[in-house]
Amino acid sequence: MSELIPYIPIAIAILAASLGYISGQRNGKIARFHQQVDLNLKEVCGPLFFRLHTIFKTEDPQQRESLIDSFSKDFSTSNPNIYKIGNKFLIDWLIENEYLYFKFKKSREVSDWENFWVQLHSLKVMAESEYWKNFDSLYGEYCWFQKTLTSNIFIRMWHETIHLLFQAMQFTVILSLIFSFYSFWDYFLQKRLPTGSVPLALLILALSLSLYGFFMVLGADINGLRNQRDSNLRKIIKRFAPRLLNFWDKEVLSSKRKIKVPKMYSNQNQP
């Protein structure tokens, strides 16, 4: 063992150099990813999502088909910027969408139109998901930095501490769940853990969940600042009770009833 001691500094130097190289590679890849996402949002994914949104909200059939013609031209396989989407599955879907639209334009059959529209709807869903994922990758912490960088150092430290504790409690809950499952498995099959392991595991799990809930309430605004996506609860309410969510947003959170709305402009000829 003493013979290996002189080689310890060399091993440490090699390990430090390796970790530095890996960290540098990772930081370089993240910086390149952010550049790609920025181009994606501005040049391809953003226009793709909003153009599809305009098509689906258009009710006039003639105007809608005109918009689809323009969309198919701008986002065809001849567009050299399509590769910037980055998502191969979405590109494949876009290619299939182009084929179905050409088929419909040639036949003008109702069945071909229905097949194309179903494909276009799926494309819209995927484009929306891709857009918000990229948006969150680039601007996920925008509100967080906007809040903390304009606050004094004590408020900033408070936010950072609560967020750190919240993340720690998430990890603790996961470990508690693993320990609980293992305790039950050992109690019925192995019998290796000391007596009372199951009640101890359940107690630790209960305490972890309680503390996790406490920090979730305490840092609710902080979690919202670090993540601009809707919470899972809001997604569920939006899916199954959209009217309730609409009432909450417009009547409870907003001050709509306190705002004096002016008369709208009418272009009808005055008598």
Side-chain angles (χ1 to χ4, degrees):
M1 185 67 180
S2 59
E3 297 176 354
L4 299 177
I5 294 178
Y7 297 98
I8 292 179
I10 300 176
I12 294 176
I14 295 174
L15 179 61
S18 300
L19 292 176
Y21 175 78
I22 294 172
S23 177
Q25 288 288 314
R26 175 176 171 79
N27 291 336
K29 289 181 179 179
I30 291 176
R32 186 165 61 252
F33 169 74
H34 284 157
Q35 292 176 355
Q36 292 170 344
V37 169
D38 189 30
L39 287 174
N40 182 298
L41 287 174
K42 289 190 295 187
E43 298 183 10
V44 189
C45 191
L48 175 69
F49 166 55
F50 290 112
R51 292 277 290 276
L52 286 170
H53 178 75
T54 302
I55 290 172
F56 274 82
K57 75 176 183 179
T58 302
E59 298 181 357
D60 181 73
Q62 184 178 1
Q63 183 182 3
R64 181 172 54 234
E65 185 164 337
S66 177
L67 291 173
I68 297 175
D69 287 338
S70 178
F71 172 84
S72 299
K73 180 180 178 181
D74 294 339
F75 293 95
S76 68
T77 51
S78 61
N79 187 339
N81 291 321
I82 289 297
Y83 78 95
K84 294 180 182 178
I85 291 178
N87 188 327
K88 182 181 181 300
F89 185 72
L90 186 57
I91 294 175
D92 290 340
W93 210 265
L94 194 63
I95 294 173
E96 179 67 16
N97 180 83
E98 180 183 37
Y99 165 75
L100 291 177
Y101 189 60
F102 284 160
K103 184 179 180 181
F104 158 72
K105 294 291 284 187
K106 184 177 181 180
S107 68
R108 304 298 300 186
E109 296 288 341
V110 175
S111 59
D112 289 336
W113 165 254
E114 291 176 349
N115 290 335
F116 161 73
W117 189 255
V118 171
Q119 180 82 7
L120 190 67
H121 182 272
S122 299
L123 180 65
K124 175 180 176 293
V125 173
M126 288 187 291
E128 181 177 5
S129 175
E130 187 76 6
Y131 176 82
W132 289 120
K133 285 180 181 178
N134 289 339
F135 181 89
D136 190 57
S137 299
L138 202 59
Y139 295 102
E141 294 187 322
Y142 179 86
C143 293
W144 168 258
F145 288 118
Q146 188 181 52
K147 174 70 175 178
T148 56
L149 294 180
T150 56
S151 303
N152 64 63
I153 188 168
F154 297 105
I155 295 178
R156 192 181 310 172
M157 289 175 61
W158 165 259
H159 284 2
E160 292 283 1
T161 302
I162 294 299
H163 179 69
L164 179 62
L165 292 174
F166 179 75
Q167 296 292 321
M169 290 312 306
Q170 281 186 324
F171 182 67
T172 303
V173 169
I174 294 174
L175 290 180
S176 300
L177 285 171
I178 295 174
F179 180 49
S180 298
F181 285 126
Y182 179 74
S183 298
F184 277 100
W185 179 76
D186 178 81
Y187 178 78
F188 290 106
L189 298 176
Q190 296 292 325
K191 304 291 185 180
R192 292 180 179 179
L193 293 177
T195 304
S197 296
V198 172
L200 178 62
L202 293 177
L203 177 61
I204 294 175
L205 178 61
L207 291 175
S208 301
L209 290 174
S210 300
L211 289 174
Y212 178 70
F214 172 75
F215 283 110
M216 182 182 292
V217 174
L218 189 63
D221 59 327
I222 298 174
N223 189 48
L225 289 173
R226 296 198 70 117
N227 186 355
Q228 297 197 59
R229 291 171 293 181
D230 290 339
S231 64
N232 292 331
L233 178 61
R234 184 176 178 85
K235 290 179 181 179
I236 294 174
I237 297 176
K238 187 176 182 179
R239 174 68 177 83
F240 295 102
R243 293 184 179 180
L244 177 62
L245 186 62
N246 186 62
F247 172 80
W248 175 264
D249 289 342
K250 293 185 176 181
E251 301 297 335
V252 179
L253 296 182
S254 71
S255 55
K256 177 182 177 182
R257 290 172 293 182
K258 300 178 182 179
I259 297 176
K260 184 178 180 181
V261 181
K263 292 182 179 180
M264 72 171 217
Y265 169 73
S266 176
N267 59 358
Q268 296 179 353
N269 295 328
Q270 300 294 332

